[in-house]
């Protein structure tokens, strides 16, 4: 009897334990099913941001919402508070399935050993020193013979960004980003529109860039989403270019808005956009940008002060207006395919163009650019560029051969430097136009060989175009066109001409794309 009672007691205990265990197991399974972020919490999805996730006690059934970074970017803020950043073509660390982790992995804190952060020489000395006398071997890499290790490319800084709760959208967990930040990111990576389609069902667009593709989808009555895919046509191990290059956020925004500005001076001038076929006159308006149409709204969106900016207005010409003999006439592409519009540039406005050409910013990458600015400056500078183009190409090719050791120290592939690089630099200059970011990186790297240790800010202003403009007027009727074009170019002239080359190889950017987007989007 006692044995039977004991057995019954143990059996009851066993059944109770099994029942409780089953209940606990089912509760956990149900909770996992009810967790909307079940597949969005691990490293596979969040990448390095898995380390920023909030934790909760084990006794709490409901798990906290996972978090992602607050990514903000515009003219006055830079990218997450940094105006100068380094960019890599491919993610420098393995990103998660969330595509915003791949975007963060192509942006980096500036390399303290990089060219653009080096101690610069005096600008007056630089602009007056012939290129043959520049001490090019005393650049920032002269004492650093070590190849940059892979650890230098690891993600830095972004884990300290402010966090935001992820938003569930379909099967993905998204961060929220403003359209201003999205546009700024596209400008940083040299984005250009590849596809755009809007109808009653919604809006879809695709933007290619140097670092990958961005896809925008905004269905009717749905949330607007962005996704990013890095290039699958390149590999870090086989890329012959230095893995990272510097970008200044404010300069990217300025060029997209059609504004040439020097921070240390009062010069800020915006350009008119592309016009319809016809005859037009360029007219300078001091502080006239508030009355402009188009890029003014982008400038406001980016935090710029439109009331501080001058404006070059394109005004329709009337029949009773007479042309002065000194006026320059430019043939420019119009809004209509295969048709031009004619722009007459009076002497006063020509002086503004010369100042703008001398104030173009330097970059290692081509611009996503305001097409009105590019059309006008390229058309005006083209005769001079063509005059010096062969000399410039020869000079860059020679610089690559002469200073190949510095290029290799800077991260360029040895075989590429000794093989194709010089020819690519020369041929790109001779081509006159293009849209290859790689070619622009080759040409700008070759030009920097002639400058020694000069910061990017010091390269933003030259005097070549204003000096050349004076010479042009002095020699205009004295066999000016008979000059051979093979004059020796000093370093300042090379820099000024290369900045026009960047315009020739830049890509159009629709600065009114903000009309297609809501104020906030979900980044998948």
């Amino acid at each position: 009897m006692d044995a039977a009672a004991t057995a019954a007691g143990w059996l009851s205990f066993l059944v109770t334990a099994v029942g409780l265990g089953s209940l606990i197991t089912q509760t956990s399974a149900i909770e996992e099913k009810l967790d909307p972020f079940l597949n969005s919490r691990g490293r596979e999805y969040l990448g390095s941001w898995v380390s920023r996730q909030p934790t909760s006690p084990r006794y709490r059934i409901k798990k906290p919402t996972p978090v992602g970074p607050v990514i903000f970017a515009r003219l006055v803020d830079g990218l997450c508070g940094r105006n100068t950043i380094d960019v890599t073509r491919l993610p420098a660390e393995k990103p998660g399935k969330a595509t915003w982790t791949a975007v963060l992995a192509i942006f980096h804190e500036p390399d303290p050993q990089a060219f653009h952060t080096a101690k610069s020489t005096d600008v007056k000395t630089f602009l007056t020193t012939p290129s043959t006398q520049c001490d090019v071997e005393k650049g920032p890499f002269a004492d650093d013979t070590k190849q940059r290790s892979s650890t230098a490319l690891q993600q830095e800084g972004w884990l300290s960004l402010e966090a935001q709760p992820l938003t569930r959208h379909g099967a993905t967990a998204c961060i929220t980003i403003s359209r201003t930040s999205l546009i700024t990111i596209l400008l940083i990576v040299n984005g250009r529109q590849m596809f755009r389609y809007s109808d009653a069902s919604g809006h879809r667009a695709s933007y290619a860039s140097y670092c990958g593709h961005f896809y925008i989808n905004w269905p009717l009555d749905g949330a607007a989403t962005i996704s990013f895919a890095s290039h699958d046509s390149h590999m870090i191990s086989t890329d012959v270019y230095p893995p990272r290059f510097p970008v200044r956020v404010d300069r990217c925004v300025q060029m997209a808005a059609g504004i040439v500005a020097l921070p240390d001076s009062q010069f800020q001038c915006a350009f008119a956009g592309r016009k319809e076929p016809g005859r037009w006159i360029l007219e300078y308006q001091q502080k006239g940008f508030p009355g402009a149409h188009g890029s003014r709204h982008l400038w406001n969106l980016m935090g710029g002060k439109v009331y501080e900016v001058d404006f070059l207005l394109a005004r329709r010409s009337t029949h009773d207006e007479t042309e002065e003999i000194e006026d320059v006439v430019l043939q420019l592409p119009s809004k209509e395919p295969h048709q031009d519009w004619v722009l007459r540039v009076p002497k006063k406005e020509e002086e503004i163009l010369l100042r703008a050409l001398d104030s173009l910013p330097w970059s290692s990458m081509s611009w996503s650019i305001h097409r009105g600015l590019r059309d006008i400056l390229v058309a005006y500078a083209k005769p001079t560029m063509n005059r010096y183009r062969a000399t410039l190409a020869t000079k860059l090719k020679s610089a690559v051969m002469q200073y190949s050791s510095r290029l290799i120290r800077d991260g360029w592939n040895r075989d590429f430097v000794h093989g194709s690089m010089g020819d690519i630099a020369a041929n790109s200059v001779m081509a006159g136009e293009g849209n290859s970011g790689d070619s622009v990186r080759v040409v700008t790297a070759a030009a920097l060989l002639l400058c020694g240790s000069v910061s990017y800010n010091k390269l933003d202003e030259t005097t070549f175009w204003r000096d050349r403009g004076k010479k042009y007027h002095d020699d205009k009727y004295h066999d000016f066109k008979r000059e051979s074009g093979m004059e020796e170019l000093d370093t300042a002239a090379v820099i000024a001409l290369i900045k026009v080359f960047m315009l020739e190889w830049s890509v159009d950017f629709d600065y009114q794309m903000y009309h297609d987007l809501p104020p906030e989007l979900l980044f998948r």
Side-chain angles (χ1 to χ4, degrees):
M1 187 67 179
D2 292 338
T6 302
W10 278 107
L11 182 61
S12 176
F13 174 78
L14 181 61
V15 171
T16 302
V18 172
L20 288 173
S22 177
L23 181 61
I24 293 173
T25 302
Q26 292 180 22
T27 302
S28 300
I30 293 172
E31 179 61 29
E32 289 179 356
K33 292 295 184 182
L34 294 176
D35 182 6
F37 298 100
L38 177 63
N39 298 320
S40 308
R41 296 185 180 277
R43 181 174 293 276
E44 183 180 3
Y45 189 86
L46 297 173
S48 60
W49 259 76
V50 72
S51 63
R52 284 290 309 274
Q53 299 311 302
T55 59
S56 63
R58 296 181 63 88
Y59 59 80
R60 288 190 59 182
I61 297 178
K62 183 176 177 57
K63 296 182 179 179
T65 302
V67 298
V70 175
I71 301 177
F72 60 96
R74 61 178 187 150
L75 172 74
V76 296
D77 298 322
L79 177 67
C80 300
R82 301 154 176 85
N83 183 57
T84 301
I85 60 171
D86 280 0
V87 177
T88 54
R89 187 208 297 268
L90 297 172
E93 67 175 14
K94 184 178 179 180
K97 290 183 178 179
T99 62
W100 50 263
T101 62
V103 170
L104 285 181
I106 63 175
F107 298 137
H108 312 273
E109 296 280 3
D111 185 347
Q113 294 295 325
F115 178 85
H116 64 283
T117 58
K119 183 179 179 181
S120 61
T121 58
D122 182 77
V123 66
K124 293 182 180 179
T125 304
F126 158 67
L127 292 177
T128 56
T129 302
S131 59
T132 54
Q133 297 178 5
C134 285
D135 196 357
V136 299
E137 289 300 328
K138 292 185 179 180
F141 292 102
D143 298 325
D144 182 12
T145 58
K146 297 180 180 180
Q147 196 79 347
R148 272 183 277 182
S149 65
S150 60
T151 56
L153 292 178
Q154 296 303 312
Q155 195 72 349
E156 300 171 357
W158 306 131
L159 289 177
S160 62
L161 293 178
E162 181 183 351
Q164 62 170 308
L166 297 183
T167 301
R168 188 72 177 178
H169 181 77
T172 60
C174 311
I175 63 172
T176 302
I177 189 172
S178 70
R179 63 181 176 184
T180 305
S181 297
L182 171 62
I183 293 172
T184 306
I185 289 174
L186 287 172
L187 299 178
I188 293 172
V189 296
N190 194 207
R192 65 187 185 277
Q193 181 179 288
M194 300 300 293
F195 167 80
R196 178 186 178 276
Y197 183 76
S198 294
D199 64 6
S201 65
H203 173 76
R204 296 183 298 278
S206 170
Y207 290 83
S209 76
Y210 188 76
C211 303
H213 282 76
F214 293 80
Y215 304 94
I216 300 174
N217 186 29
W218 188 12
L220 185 66
D221 291 333
T225 62
I226 319 157
S227 58
F228 171 75
S230 57
H231 290 303
D232 58 2
S233 56
H234 298 274
M235 296 178 60
I236 294 178
S237 60
T238 58
D239 209 344
V240 298
Y241 307 91
R244 59 199 293 170
F245 57 92
V247 173
R248 292 177 293 173
V249 178
D250 57 349
R251 301 300 196 275
C252 295
V253 175
Q254 289 169 3
M255 298 304 284
I259 295 175
V260 178
L262 286 174
D264 297 333
S265 72
Q266 297 298 317
F267 183 73
Q268 294 187 77
C269 189
F271 282 71
R274 190 172 288 182
K275 300 300 181 182
E276 296 82 9
R279 300 188 68 83
W280 301 72
I281 299 176
L282 197 63
E283 184 177 286
Y284 174 71
Q285 296 182 335
Q286 188 172 8
K287 311 305 178 189
F289 196 38
H293 176 71
S295 63
R296 166 174 60 91
H297 302 295
L298 176 64
W299 196 244
N300 275 325
L301 200 66
M302 293 291 176
K305 300 175 181 177
V306 296
Y307 51 83
E308 294 181 349
V309 183
D310 302 335
F311 185 54
L312 283 173
L313 170 71
R315 177 175 55 81
R316 277 197 179 275
S317 177
T318 59
H319 295 291
D320 57 349
E321 290 178 314
T322 58
E323 294 187 11
E324 300 293 335
I325 193 173
E326 293 183 340
D327 290 351
V328 176
V329 178
L330 304 177
Q331 296 274 358
L332 305 173
S334 72
K335 292 182 178 180
E336 302 297 329
H338 313 297
Q339 297 187 52
D340 291 339
W341 62 291
V342 179
L343 180 65
R344 179 161 61 89
V345 183
K347 184 176 180 180
K348 176 182 177 182
E349 282 68 22
E350 184 181 11
E351 294 175 354
I352 301 298
L353 295 186
L354 292 170
R355 178 71 185 276
L357 285 167
D358 272 332
S359 304
L360 287 171
W362 181 266
S363 175
S364 294
M365 176 58 57
S366 52
W367 305 106
S368 296
I369 199 168
H370 181 284
R371 62 186 185 182
L373 180 151
R374 186 194 60 186
D375 290 347
I376 294 173
L377 290 184
V378 168
Y380 180 83
K382 183 72 74 173
T384 303
M385 277 294 294
N386 290 339
R387 173 186 170 196
Y388 291 108
R389 202 176 293 277
T391 306
L392 181 62
T394 302
K395 196 172 189 68
L396 295 181
K397 185 175 181 179
S398 299
V400 171
M401 293 187 294
Q402 184 175 359
Y403 305 117
S404 59
S405 60
R406 178 178 165 185
L407 289 168
I408 296 170
R409 286 196 299 269
D410 289 358
W412 294 85
N413 178 271
R414 180 183 299 273
D415 294 336
F416 178 72
V417 171
H418 290 305
S420 307
M421 186 172 181
D423 290 327
I424 292 176
N427 291 334
S428 298
V429 170
M430 294 302 297
E433 62 180 1
N435 63 359
S436 169
D438 287 337
S439 293
V440 174
R441 290 187 66 185
V442 168
V443 170
T444 55
L448 290 179
L449 293 172
L450 306 173
C451 302
S453 179
V454 179
S455 70
Y456 276 21
N457 291 334
K458 298 299 184 182
L459 300 176
D460 287 345
E461 184 174 17
T462 64
T463 60
F464 170 80
W465 289 100
R466 282 166 288 181
D467 293 343
R468 188 215 63 87
K470 295 176 182 178
K471 178 181 178 182
Y472 177 82
H473 284 294
D474 292 342
D475 299 341
K476 190 169 184 179
Y477 305 105
H478 296 86
D479 297 329
F480 179 77
K481 295 183 180 179
R482 296 184 182 180
E483 296 186 21
S484 65
M486 297 303 292
E487 301 92 338
E488 179 64 26
L489 295 174
D490 61 16
T491 304
V494 170
I495 296 303
L497 294 173
I498 292 300
K499 290 194 287 186
V500 175
F501 164 83
M502 295 179 200
L503 298 185
E504 295 177 329
W505 282 69
S506 292
V507 296
D508 289 351
F509 188 82
D510 181 10
Y511 51 79
Q512 293 188 344
M513 68 171 289
Y514 55 84
H515 289 307
D516 296 330
L517 305 174
E520 290 188 340
L521 303 92
L522 297 179
F523 208 137
R524 301 169 70 98

